[in-house]
Amino acid sequence: MPTRRAVRYSRSPDTRAAARTGRSGTLSASAAREWRRRWDQQQVHEVRDREARFEAMLDAIEVLVGRRFRALDLGCGTGSTSERILRRFPAARSVAIDYDPVLLRIGRSGLGTLGGRLTWVDADLRTGGWPRRLPVRRFDVAVSTTALHWFSPAQLGELYRRVARLLRPGGWFLNGDRISYPPGARHVRDGARSARRLSRQRNPRPGETWDAWWSAVLDDPRLAAEAELHRRRYPRAHGGTPTLDLDGHLRALRRAGFREIELIWTHWDNRVLAAMR
Ligand SMILES: C[S@@+](CC[C@H](N)C(=O)[O-])C[C@H]1O[C@@H](n2cnc3c(N)ncnc32)[C@H](O)[C@@H]1O
């Protein structure tokens, strides 16, 4: 995941006025779809092989879990992962959780429920109460993309334990994220950074960066109330370096009760970890 710089959110007079009233304007489905499109574009800007990673995760779901299942999407953002899952597997359902009001509104308005198969949940995954907010408590597979590096090692340990309790025995957890190298792997870590730079030079991408996307969306008066809440819930620029290296993830997953914990896809530090309950 990209290094997060402090983002300064410039706000137009319109946005400030809307935020003061506490009301957002109407966000049409097509406007929300355009925000989703831009979100996906900026995520590819940050995670170059994002689509290849999605494909690896969906293939893994098909071979390990099947084509008819209930998924839990942790840190769903605007719903990119759930959308790909539900479009490929028409008999699947997904519960998508996030704590960002802006991303949730864009997801809900732009993607909807995909025929009642997608449920959105507004909950903080760092707290103990989020499983109670779910409409069901038994899942065949849990997925997460580019999200769990936001968590401290202690938060991640707790999260893994809660996810394990929500999965049926034999269910799978698939985490696609940038998983860091241990301190001793200096050359490989530097290599990963240089390889990303080479890839950017070879395939310069038009489109926004993370910072530019957030500046723009937080200035959209139709999302003013959600932007206000976003600032309260995420008062600091988040992220930075990933919190656990691969061994740390393996240990935390084992302690949470998972077995058969393996890397199933990797491109430098961008990896997919699969763990069976
Ligand atoms: C980079 S985005 C990735 C979103 C989506 N999975 C994707 O691949 O497009 C990271 C997501 O994690 C979510 N997140 C971070 N901390 C969270 C928390 N404590 N509870 C729920 N979601 C959280 C953020 O709101 C954000 O949507």
Side-chain angles (χ1 to χ4, degrees), residues 39 50 75-77 98 100 103 124-126 145-146 150 234:
W39 169 267
R50 184 174 185 247
C76 63
D98 206 280
D100 192 308
L103 300 181
D124 184 351
L125 290 167
R126 291 164 302 186
T145 56
T146 328
W150 290 40
Y234 296 99

Side-chain angles (χ1 to χ4, degrees), residues 113-272:
T113 66
L114 293 177
R117 293 186 298 135
L118 174 58
T119 306
W120 300 88
V121 175
D122 178 5
D124 184 351
L125 290 167
R126 291 164 302 186
T127 63
W130 65 266
R132 287 195 293 278
R133 313 279 306 273
L134 301 175
V136 288
R137 304 273 169 79
R138 212 52 169 169
F139 294 88
D140 304 294
V141 61
V143 294
S144 184
T145 56
T146 328
L148 301 185
H149 61 273
W150 290 40
F151 293 72
S152 71
Q155 290 167 345
L156 212 47
E158 280 302 312
L159 180 71
Y160 283 166
R161 269 190 282 280
R162 292 185 183 113
V163 173
R165 283 199 288 270
L166 290 165
L167 283 171
R168 65 162 167 80
W172 285 85
F173 173 43
L174 297 168
N175 180 22
D177 205 352
R178 189 171 288 170
I179 295 176
S180 62
Y181 297 111
R186 184 167 57 83
H187 295 94
V188 181
R189 192 171 48 249
D190 291 350
R193 202 171 301 127
S194 302
R196 272 196 295 280
R197 199 171 50 242
L198 276 183
S199 162
R200 287 204 173 93
Q201 283 163 1
R202 208 171 30 246
N203 307 303
R205 279 196 156 263
E208 290 156 305
T209 61
W210 168 271
D211 289 0
W213 189 89
W214 275 106
S215 286
V217 81
L218 293 178
D219 207 33
D220 183 336
R222 297 167 297 188
L223 289 161
E226 288 80 9
E228 200 56 48
L229 187 55
H230 164 95
R231 291 188 184 90
R232 286 208 296 277
R233 288 184 175 181
Y234 296 99
R236 283 180 299 282
H238 44 264
T241 44
T243 54
L244 278 181
D245 63 17
L246 180 58
D247 280 346
H249 279 275
L250 298 178
R251 271 196 305 275
L253 285 164
R254 222 171 282 123
R255 272 201 298 270
F258 287 95
R259 55 211 163 99
E260 280 206 38
I261 308 161
E262 298 292 339
L263 279 179
I264 57 161
W265 183 91
T266 182
H267 183 207
W268 293 98
D269 53 351
N270 184 16
R271 321 191 217 202
V272 179

Side-chain angles (χ1 to χ4, degrees), residues 13-34:
D14 265 4
T15 309
R16 277 196 293 273
R20 266 199 304 277
T21 67
R23 284 194 302 274
S24 293
T26 304
L27 183 73
S28 67
S30 63
R33 279 197 292 274
E34 176 60 9

